Amino acid sequence: MHFTSEQRLDDDVLEREFLLGEIPGALWMSGSATAPVPLILLGHPGGLGKMHPRLVARALGTVAEGYAAAAIELPGAGDRPRLAGVDEARADLQRAAKAGEPVSDEIVDRLVLPLVEQAVPEWRATVDALQSLPEIGGPVGIAGGVTAIGVRMAVVEPRIAAALLFAGSYVPRSMFAEARKITIPLHVLLQWDDEGNDRQLALDLFDAFGSEEKTLHANMGGHTGIPRFEGEAGNRFFARHLK
Amino acid sequence: MHFTSEQRLDDDVLEREFLLGEIPGALWMSGSATAPVPLILLGHPGGLGKMHPRLVARALGTVAEGYAAAAIELPGAGDRPRLAGVDEARADLQRAAKAGEPVSDEIVDRLVLPLVEQAVPEWRATVDALQSLPEIGGPVGIAGGVTAIGVRMAVVEPRIAAALLFAGSYVPRSMFAEARKITIPLHVLLQWDDEGNDRQLALDLFDAFGSEEKTLHANMGGHTGIPRFEGEAGNRFFARHLK
């Protein structure tokens, strides 16, 4: 990993862009922290450039709570090489959605599984690289992003101590067996009136999670209308488990 | 309403028992508040005497957050005259549960509807009486207790500004039309792994609530295992809506 740029976002927060091999990423941390802080990986739907304003907003909140925040580009997104099969599956999914047809498990598998296969080793390598920095230490959290990546990370990466996941969309049924293996605390968000989300699948997924501490927060407000107070709830969840 | 006893529970909190007509109740408030505080009605399953230690614990938390807390005995509970039909329905329910049979809607109607019919006017009279005290003012909240009573109160009593309800057990399907009429903010708790609770009915009820702001918090821990952090979450809910 090497850092490619550095800028101060406000009086305290430093944004550092990096390359991990060919994968672009960004790290946000306090410029004034005097001891190592826990890391929270910020998930996102892909496209670091397009997502940048929203990621910065989340990162500022995360750093203010006493963590470092980091995000890397998803496989096939932004300027990274396309994943042909995933692009095709996405087109099939959009076709089905437009036609008002149910999205088949087969399409979801083709869309999500290759992404998970490639992204999880990359996220783990990111943890390796960032944990080697003197400014970062302690347990690692995951916040949001592609739920299936969070599920796999929670199972295979022992440094992940807590995960905040979005319930639902497009977690392959074939990954429910993995969901049952999760033991770390989970904080799960569900937008109850998100018509593009399969609510029953979301509830089934929550049910499947093996964790002894798992909490589902369901709210109204549509796909993008997560209430502001859920930000605080997420902070308290991480404070219980990363500090 | 007249007060029958008064005792100081700690350096600050005053517990005052009262009779509203024949109905016993208790009011908890700060002895040092200098301005009127909002009232939160503490629901419970009936039996003020038996419930007293738990009610006091909840009341102390409620008063510490800047409210007055009150509870009255449920119809047919404690030393109040039995409700013959309700007792019979409860016996039928216990028989069904013991035999592993589903509890019929008819039994739930007989168990809950008479309780709601009688309790709601009593709760409203309690609000009348307590709001006339100079120490109490502002919007009123409901916290817990028999969910169907909370549902009816939320619909018919305009002074109720926010309600924390337990999702599920024994809300008659015949009251779902009322649930749809609720418009106040709701904070709904569900113990996901409570085997004595009908989870699907709980989710259906949450879905039915008409409120624009409704949040479901589902947790593990069994019937009585609501996590401690939900206490704080409830406090923040009321702070958003009663202050």
Side-chain angles (χ1 to χ4, degrees):
Chain A
M1 184 178 73
H2 65 277
F3 289 101
T4 55
S5 77
E6 176 171 322
Q7 65 168 322
R8 206 163 267 281
L9 296 187
D10 63 15
D11 279 356
D12 184 48
V13 179
L14 217 57
E15 176 182 75
R16 290 196 275 174
E17 294 184 303
F18 60 78
L19 282 172
L20 182 78
E22 314 254 294
I23 308 163
L27 172 65
W28 297 271
M29 50 171 45
S30 164
S32 64
T34 54
V37 295
L39 171 68
I40 294 181
L41 298 170
L42 303 185
H44 59 88
L48 273 192
K50 200 180 52 181
M51 293 300 298
H52 188 256
R54 269 174 288 177
L55 283 168
V56 165
R58 291 167 60 199
L60 289 174
T62 305
V63 172
E65 292 290 316
Y67 310 100
I72 58 170
E73 187 56 282
L74 283 187
D79 295 331
R80 299 192 61 190
R82 314 306 306 164
L83 296 177
V86 170
D87 285 347
E88 207 174 285
R90 191 175 293 112
D92 290 346
L93 183 146
Q94 283 161 351
R95 239 188 319 272
K98 212 168 170 183
E101 291 163 11
V103 177
S104 71
D105 286 355
E106 183 271 332
I107 293 179
V108 174
D109 280 357
R110 280 194 287 123
L111 178 72
V112 177
L113 292 180
L115 201 60
V116 172
E117 287 295 334
Q118 192 174 331
V120 166
E122 294 173 357
W123 281 43
R124 300 186 73 180
T126 304
V127 174
D128 288 341
L130 294 175
Q131 289 281 64
S132 74
L133 299 175
E135 304 95 315
I136 292 176
V140 180
I142 288 180
V146 175
T147 306
I149 295 175
V151 167
R152 173 80 50 93
M153 282 293 284
V155 174
V156 301
E157 176 48 68
R159 288 170 295 187
I160 305 296
L164 185 157
L165 303 175
F166 297 113
S169 285
Y170 309 132
V171 173
R173 291 255 174 208
S174 58
M175 284 187 67
F176 274 43
E178 282 176 75
R180 286 191 191 90
K181 289 186 193 153
I182 298 179
T183 58
I184 61 168
L186 298 179
H187 184 88
V188 183
L189 296 179
L190 170 62
Q191 285 303 91
W192 191 259
D193 56 347
D194 178 356
E195 287 179 12
N197 193 12
D198 182 335
R199 189 197 296 163
Q200 192 55 53
L201 185 122
L203 295 170
D204 291 348
L205 178 66
F206 180 73
D207 194 45
F209 289 135
S211 306
E212 206 170 298
E213 182 185 328
K214 58 179 179 182
T215 300
L216 178 74
H217 282 198
N219 286 290
M220 303 295 285
H223 186 68
T224 57
I226 297 172
R228 186 174 295 266
F229 55 76
E230 284 297 348
E232 304 159 34
N235 288 341
R236 283 182 299 270
F237 168 72
F238 283 124
R240 286 202 302 278
H241 299 293
L242 300 184
K243 288 192 169 166
Chain B
M1 185 178 73
H2 66 277
F3 289 100
T4 55
S5 77
E6 177 171 322
Q7 64 169 323
R8 207 163 266 283
L9 296 187
D10 62 15
D11 278 357
D12 184 48
V13 179
L14 216 58
E15 175 182 75
R16 290 197 275 174
E17 294 183 303
F18 60 78
L19 281 172
L20 182 78
E22 313 256 295
I23 308 164
L27 171 66
W28 298 269
M29 51 170 46
S30 164
S32 65
T34 54
V37 295
L39 171 68
I40 295 181
L41 299 170
L42 304 184
H44 58 88
L48 273 192
K50 199 180 54 183
M51 294 299 299
H52 188 256
R54 268 174 288 177
L55 282 168
V56 165
R58 291 167 60 199
L60 289 174
T62 304
V63 172
E65 292 292 316
Y67 310 100
I72 58 170
E73 186 57 279
L74 283 186
D79 294 330
R80 299 191 62 190
R82 313 308 305 166
L83 296 176
V86 170
D87 284 347
E88 207 175 284
R90 190 175 293 113
D92 291 346
L93 184 147
Q94 283 160 352
R95 238 189 318 273
K98 212 168 169 182
E101 291 163 11
V103 177
S104 71
D105 286 355
E106 182 270 331
I107 293 178
V108 174
D109 280 357
R110 280 195 287 124
L111 179 72
V112 176
L113 292 180
L115 202 59
V116 172
E117 287 297 333
Q118 192 174 332
V120 165
E122 295 173 357
W123 282 44
R124 299 186 74 181
T126 304
V127 173
D128 289 340
L130 295 176
Q131 289 282 64
S132 73
L133 299 175
E135 304 95 315
I136 293 177
V140 180
I142 288 180
V146 175
T147 305
I149 295 175
V151 167
R152 173 82 46 94
M153 282 292 285
V155 175
V156 301
E157 176 48 68
R159 289 170 293 187
I160 305 296
L164 185 157
L165 302 175
F166 297 112
S169 285
Y170 310 130
V171 173
R173 290 256 173 208
S174 57
M175 284 187 67
F176 274 43
E178 281 175 77
R180 286 190 191 89
K181 288 186 195 153
I182 298 179
T183 57
I184 61 168
L186 298 179
H187 183 88
V188 182
L189 295 178
L190 170 62
Q191 286 301 94
W192 191 259
D193 56 347
D194 177 355
E195 288 178 11
N197 194 12
D198 182 335
R199 190 196 295 164
Q200 192 56 53
L201 185 122
L203 294 170
D204 291 348
L205 178 67
F206 179 73
D207 193 44
F209 289 135
S211 306
E212 208 170 297
E213 181 185 330
K214 58 180 179 182
T215 299
L216 178 73
H217 282 198
N219 287 288
M220 304 294 284
H223 185 68
T224 57
I226 297 171
R228 187 174 294 265
F229 55 77
E230 285 297 349
E232 302 159 35
N235 289 341
R236 283 182 300 270
F237 168 72
F238 283 123
R240 286 202 302 279
H241 299 294
L242 299 185
K243 286 192 170 165

